[in-house]
C-alpha cells in the first residue's frame, strides 16, 4: 500500500523519529541527519545495497550520500561482507595487536608515500585531533591555522568557523569550547594567499601547523586555486610549521594516494578515515616517522584507543581497498563522473538559471548560486530555500542527496549509467520546482 509522504518520510520513519527524539538528542546520532537544514523529518534506513538505500517504509533511493563517503564500492559489497564475516568468526575485538593491523599499516604506507608510519583510530575526529596534538608536541608551538568552512570533526581546537553540520545548523563555533582554547586557532579564508602571508608575517613563529581539508568538502565541494596547496606547503616549511592534510574524505576516495597524489604535495601528517574502514568506524593518522615516533609508547605525545585496529574494521577496510585496486576503481569512478558531468551540463542548460557544479573524481556538488565558489563566503551565497525544495523533490522522486547545501555528493562503483540517467531526469524535474 502506498503512503502519503510528509515532506520527507513515511509513517514508520515518523514513528521511529518520534521515539528516537525521546532518547537521542535531536533524534539522531549525528546532526546533519536530522534534516534541520532542509526541513521535514529524516527517513530511517532499513537496508542498503549497491547504489540504493531502502527506508523502513519500503521506499528505495539512489543514494549519493554513501554513508558520507565510505561506501565507495556501493553499500554492502560482497567482498567486504565476506571479509567481516570471516574475521568475526575469530572474534570481534581483541584489544591485542593483530595481523590485520599490520597489513593495513603496510598498505597505507605503500599507497600514501608521505605516510612513513601510521596509527589507526576510530574516527576522522580522532585522526585530526591526534594530528593537532602531534604537531604541537613536535614543534613546541600552540597555534593552529585552519580555514573557514573546513570541517575536521568535532575537535575542540577545530570547531571554529567549521563546516558540515556546524555550518548547516548555522553555528560554526560550538558552545562549550573555552575562549582560551579557541583563541589558539586562527581561521583564514580559503584560497586567500594574501591573508595567509599576512598571518604568517605576524604570527608565523607561533604556528604549530596548518590543517586543511585537501579539497574542502564540508561546505559543499570547494577546489583550491592553482598553486594554493603548494603555497601552503612552502609557507609552512619556511616558518617551521607542519602541514596537516585532512584526507578523511578524499583519502582513498579520489586516488590511491588521495589528493596529495593528484596534487603532488607532501604533507607532514595526514588524517584519514571513511573509505579506509569499508563502512566500519575507522580513522587513521600518519606521516613523517620522526613526528609519528613522538607518540606513546615511544614518545611523550599520548594517544590511545581501546578499539583502534579492531579486526573487523581492519578486515572491512582492507577488503574495500583491495577491491578498489582489483577493479581499477578510481579510473572507473572518473568515467562515471564524466557521464554525470555531461548529464548535469545538459540539465542545467535547460533551466536557464545559473548554478555552480564542481566535480573531482567521484565527489561532486551543485551550489545554488550564480557566483563561482572559491571559499565559504561564496558558498554562503547559495539559495538555501531553493536547495531545500530541490532536495525534497529529488527525495520524493527516489534520489537521496545530502540534506544540506554544505555537503558533497559521492558516486560509487555500484552506480550505473542508468542510475545516472535516471538521476538527471529527477534533477531536471526538481530544478524546475526549485
Ligand atoms: N560530517 C558528516 C558529513 N560531512 C556529517 C554526518 C552526520 O551528521 O550524519
Amino acid at each position: 500500500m502506498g503512503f502519503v509522504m510528509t515532506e520527507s518520510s513515511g509513517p514508520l520513519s515518523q514513528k521511529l523519529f518520534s521515539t528516537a527524539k525521546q532518547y537521542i538528542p535531536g533524534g539522531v546520532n549525528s546532526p546533519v541527519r536530522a534534516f534541520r537544514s532542509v526541513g521535514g523529518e529524516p527517513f530511517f534506513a532499513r537496508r542498503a545495497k549497491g547504489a540504493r538505500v531502502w527506508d523502513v517504509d519500503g521506499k528505495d533511493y539512489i543514494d549519493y550520500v554513501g554513508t558520507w563517503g565510505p561506501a565507495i564500492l556501493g553499500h554492502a559489497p560482497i567482498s567486504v561482507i565476506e571479509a567481516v564475516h570471516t574475521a568475526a568468526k575469530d572474534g570481534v575485538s581483541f584489544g591485542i595487536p593483530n595481523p590485520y593491523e599490520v597489513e593495513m599499516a603496510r598498505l597505507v604506507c605503500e599507497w600514501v608515500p608521505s605516510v612513513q608510519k601510521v596509527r589507526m583510530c576510530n574516527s576522522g575526529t580522532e585522526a585530526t585531533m591526534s594530528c593537532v596534538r602531534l604537531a604541537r608536541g613536535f614543534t613546541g608551538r600552540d597555534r593552529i591555522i585552519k580555514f573557514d568552512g573546513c570541517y575536521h570533526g568535532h575537535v575542540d581546537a577545530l570547531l571554529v568557523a567549521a563546516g558540515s553540520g556546524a555550518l548547516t545548523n548555522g553555528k560554526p563555533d560550538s558552545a562549550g569550547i573555552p575562549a582560551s582554547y579557541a583563541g589558539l586557532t586562527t581561521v583564514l579564508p580559503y584560497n586567500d594567499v594574501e591573508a595567509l602571508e599576512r598571518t604568517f608575517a605576524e604570527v608565523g613563529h607561533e604556528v604549530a601547523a596548518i590543517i586543511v581539508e585537501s579539497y574542502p568538502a564540508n561546505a559543499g565541494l570547494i577546489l583550491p586555486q592553482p598553486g594554493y596547496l603548494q603555497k601552503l606547503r612552502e609557507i609552512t616549511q619556511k616558518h617551521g610549521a607542519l602541514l596537516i592534510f585532512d584526507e578523511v574524505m578524499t583519502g582513498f576516495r579520489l586516488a590511491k594516494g588521495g589528493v596529495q597524489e593528484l596534487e603532488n604535495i607532501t604533507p607532514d601528517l595526514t588524517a584519514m578515515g571513511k573509505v579506509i574502514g569499508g563502512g566500519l568506524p575507522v580513522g587513521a593518522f600518519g606521516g613523517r616517522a620522526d613526528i609519528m615516533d613522538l607518540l606513546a609508547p615511544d614518545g611523550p605525545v599520548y594517544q590511545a584507543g581501546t578499539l583502534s585496529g579492531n579486526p573487523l574494521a581492519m578486515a572491512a577496510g582492507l577488503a574495500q581497498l583491495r577491491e578498489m585496486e582489483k577493479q581499477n576503481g578510481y579510473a572507473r569512478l572518473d568515467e562515471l563522473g564524466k557521464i554525470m558531468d555531461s548529464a548535469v551540463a545538459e540539465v542545467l542548460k535547460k533551466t536557464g538559471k545559473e548554478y555552480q557544479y564542481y566535480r573531482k573524481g567521484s565527489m561532486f556538488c551543485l551550489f545554488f548560486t550564480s557566483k563561482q565558489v572559491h571559499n565559504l563566503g561564496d558558498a554562503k551565497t547559495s539559495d538555501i530555500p531553493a536547495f531545500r525544495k530541490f532536495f525534497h523533490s529529488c527525495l520524493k522522486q527516489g534520489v537521496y542527496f545530502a540534506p544540506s547545501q554544505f555537503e558533497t555528493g559521492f558516486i560509487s562503483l555500484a552506480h550505473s549509467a542508468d542510475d545516472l540517467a535516471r538521476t538527471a531526469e529527477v534533477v531536471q524535474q526538481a530544478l524546475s520546482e526549485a
Side-chain angles (χ1 to χ4, degrees):
M1 181 191 74
F3 57 78
V4 177
M5 289 270 284
T6 62
E7 258 204 332
S8 56
S9 66
L12 286 181
S13 284
Q14 290 172 45
K15 189 167 184 301
L16 277 166
F17 195 45
S18 165
T19 305
K21 285 186 285 190
Q22 294 174 44
Y23 303 104
I24 307 170
V28 291
N29 280 308
S30 193
V32 185
R33 304 174 198 175
F35 278 27
R36 290 294 169 82
S37 167
V38 291
E41 295 189 346
F43 63 87
F44 278 58
R46 164 80 65 205
R47 70 185 183 96
K49 182 69 179 170
R52 275 166 178 69
V53 173
W54 284 260
D55 71 21
V56 291
D57 292 286
K59 183 174 172 59
D60 70 292
Y61 308 87
I62 301 174
D63 174 26
Y64 290 98
V65 177
T67 182
W68 303 100
I72 195 168
L73 296 174
H75 290 288
I78 191 65
S79 53
V80 172
I81 299 299
E82 288 178 347
V84 171
H85 186 244
T86 301
K89 286 189 289 187
D90 293 333
V92 295
S93 181
F94 305 136
I96 302 168
N98 65 78
Y100 290 108
E101 295 172 286
V102 179
E103 184 52 28
M104 176 60 88
R106 192 195 61 74
L107 182 147
V108 169
C109 293
E110 183 189 321
W111 284 27
V112 191
S114 72
V115 176
Q116 295 169 336
K117 287 196 175 175
V118 62
R119 178 164 283 178
M120 308 311 295
C121 53
N122 303 281
S123 68
T125 292
E126 281 182 68
T128 57
M129 173 179 70
S130 304
C131 285
V132 166
R133 186 177 310 136
L134 257 178
R136 286 172 163 160
F138 180 77
T139 61
R141 301 175 180 178
D142 294 337
R143 185 161 299 283
I144 296 292
I145 290 179
K146 74 175 289 287
F147 300 95
D148 61 1
C150 280
Y151 179 73
H152 303 286
H154 59 96
V155 185
D156 279 359
L158 303 174
L159 265 183
V160 183
S164 187
L167 176 61
T168 292
N169 296 338
K171 301 181 185 68
D173 306 310
S174 174
I177 298 170
S180 60
Y181 216 67
L184 291 172
T185 304
T186 298
V187 181
L188 298 179
Y190 187 71
N191 274 325
D192 183 335
V193 172
E194 266 180 49
L196 188 71
E197 289 176 335
R198 196 170 49 250
T199 301
F200 268 89
E202 288 163 15
V203 295
H205 60 285
E206 296 175 16
V207 178
I210 285 178
I211 184 166
V212 64
E213 284 186 70
S214 38
Y215 287 163
N218 283 290
L221 181 60
I222 301 176
L223 298 174
Q225 292 291 285
Y228 184 69
L229 293 179
Q230 191 55 41
K231 182 66 184 175
L232 297 183
R233 178 64 286 179
E234 287 163 6
I235 203 162
T236 45
Q237 250 150 0
K238 181 181 172 188
H239 290 270
L242 300 185
L243 178 60
I244 302 169
F245 259 22
D246 178 347
E247 295 228 46
V248 168
M249 206 180 277
T250 56
F252 311 101
R253 158 77 47 188
L254 293 181
K256 284 174 72 171
V259 165
Q260 53 196 276
E261 175 188 310
L262 299 176
E263 300 279 352
N264 193 24
I265 301 273
T266 304
D268 299 297
L269 293 171
T270 301
M272 297 161 273
K274 294 187 191 276
V275 170
I276 197 175
L280 271 66
V282 175
F285 60 102
R288 284 169 36 191
D290 62 324
I291 302 172
M292 293 298 290
D293 285 342
L294 286 180
L295 282 172
D298 288 342
V301 179
Y302 196 72
Q303 184 276 341
T306 298
L307 296 173
S308 298
N310 172 276
L312 295 202
M314 296 293 98
L318 283 165
Q320 175 140 281
L321 295 176
R322 287 171 176 151
E323 191 64 26
M324 277 298 291
E325 193 172 38
K326 192 171 128 195
Q327 292 199 35
N328 192 22
Y330 299 105
R332 285 189 53 215
L333 286 172
D334 207 38
E335 286 159 20
L336 288 169
K338 289 190 175 82
I339 294 172
M340 178 178 272
D341 291 351
S342 44
V344 167
E346 194 58 36
V347 166
L348 295 186
K349 201 163 56 180
K350 289 176 187 164
T351 64
K353 291 183 206 164
E354 275 197 78
Y355 299 87
Q356 303 302 319
Y357 166 76
Y358 299 104
R359 178 186 70 82
K360 270 287 182 184
S362 54
M363 295 172 66
F364 65 90
C365 180
L366 181 68
F367 286 104
F368 283 58
T369 179
S370 57
K371 189 175 169 52
Q372 284 194 10
V373 178
H374 299 304
N375 56 45
L376 177 63
D378 296 341
K380 287 170 79 170
T381 64
S382 300
D383 180 343
I384 300 304
F387 174 82
R388 184 177 297 142
K389 287 188 197 133
F390 167 81
F391 170 81
H392 282 291
S393 173
C394 290
L395 199 63
K396 279 197 181 98
Q397 296 180 73
V399 172
Y400 177 47
F401 291 114
S404 167
Q405 167 70 91
F406 305 119
E407 295 287 352
T408 293
F410 300 96
I411 305 169
S412 80
L413 285 183
H415 284 88
S416 66
D418 286 348
D419 291 328
L420 297 179
R422 170 64 187 145
T423 303
E425 289 168 7
V426 165
V427 166
Q428 181 163 331
Q429 173 58 32
L431 289 177
S432 70
E433 297 170 22

